[in-house]
Amino acid sequence: MSTRVAELVDLLHREVKPALGCTEPIAVALAVTKAVEVLESNCPKDHMGSDWRMTADLQIEVAVSGNILKNGMGVGIPGTGMIGLYIAAALGAVCGKSTYGLEVLHDLEDRAIARAKEIVEAKKVSIGLAETDKKLYVEAKVRTGDCHCASAVIADLHDHIIKTCFDEQVMSEETNTETENPCLKPICEYGLTVKEIYDFTHTVDIEEIKFLLEERAINMKLAEEGLRGDYGLGVGKTLKKNKNGIYGEDFVNYATELTAAASDARMAGCTLPAMSNTGSGNQGIITSVPVIAYAQKYHIDDEKLARALAMSNLIAIHIKGYLGRLSAICGCVVASTGSSCGIVYLQDGTYEQICAAIKNMIGNITGMVCDGAKVGCALKVASGVTGAIQAAVLAMDGKCISENDGIIEKDVEKTIRNLANIGSVGMQKTDEMILKIMVCK
């Protein structure tokens, strides 16, 4: 395996991984968890019993970037029946384990949930805006009743702890450069192109990307739970009911209901994990479930499915590298563009048809805004999936939106950068306005 191929495989491992719950409140839970662990490691042991976390008088202060606040205010927290950052922070203090990363709340149990609710009801948790230019930033401070204080800071990546302190003394601080820590290397600096992704997908040793089939096990289980239970708006479940004969049994509806159902469950606080993409469970769901649904519907073998998932995930990662992990544009735009390419791949599409699918998507749903993580995201997911399939069908028929139209360029890479510039620069005021509306309701 060449160095470059190994680099791309490592990038897939880095950006495609399990996450339990929406990753913005989970980042808050993780920061609080780490701060509590610093307390446990440094406070006098005679102050702590074996059940210290469940009984300690803790005051939790969290400061977050605007985008973390936006995406954490209205989303369900696994197993609690509650929404928002307050309960996520309290759970991190009571039962989190930082070694679990984005599955920090893996050991959730009824007793811990009850204790976390007591902490919130006693107003022991405060959430505020941090003074930072970073889109992704969480600082958690935890104080004990005897005035010891520990803190932890997460920045840039949802599970990237850059600093911890105990009683104002720095205990650890991230000083590594990206050459020492590959996880810090920005995606855009990988120099990916759609052509390289296309070639990689066709030529990489299948053993190197077989792990992507875990998306089928994890995300389809979440979809099945969404169809079985009563979660959120029940978008997927309602579509599956096929009321009045409006929705049929074709692939479009099959893929849409499965993908929306997975989002229904996840955003409403289901305790099952999602396989995420670039730090987002919903993006992981959208990049994978429509592709998996196509493979199931048309009896595609596992090797071809794994390659299609590599295509879908890497296209989404590539676009995200320019756009940023959190932005004013809904992540559904990026993820459904990836799944459209995955569906084209499963139909033996050419490089030109992959490019056409990307342009068709960017010319269609670029304007979809992110107004926070919430159960209503399943509606946007459903729209993204139908758009992805439409773009793929057009691409396979040789139809591609013209470079004379709007933000579309002849060069697919320029088209991607146009999308990214709109989301990261052009819509900055939109992002601020959305947050202002949300916090003033």
Side-chain angles (χ1 to χ4, degrees), residues 20 77-80 91 95 104-110 112-113 271:
L20 177 58
I77 307 303
T80 66
L91 285 170
C95 66
V104 61
L105 300 182
H106 181 272
D107 291 341
L108 200 63
E109 59 181 9
D110 290 344
I113 293 170
T271 55

Side-chain angles (χ1 to χ4, degrees), residues 27 30-32 34-35 63 134 136-141 151-155 157 159-165 172 174:
L30 180 57
V32 173
K34 189 63 180 180
K134 290 183 179 294
L136 200 166
Y137 182 88
V138 181
E139 181 176 4
K141 292 182 179 179
S151 64
V153 176
I154 285 175
L157 305 173
D159 56 355
H160 181 212
I161 299 168
I162 64 168
K163 187 177 181 179
T164 61
C165 296
S172 67
E174 177 67 80

Side-chain angles (χ1 to χ4, degrees), residues 177-199:
T177 64
E178 65 188 47
T179 54
E180 295 169 319
N181 185 351
C183 289
L184 301 180
K185 183 177 178 178
I187 295 169
C188 60
E189 291 186 11
Y190 278 81
L192 279 171
T193 65
V194 175
K195 182 63 167 67
E196 182 179 34
I197 292 169
Y198 179 85
D199 291 340

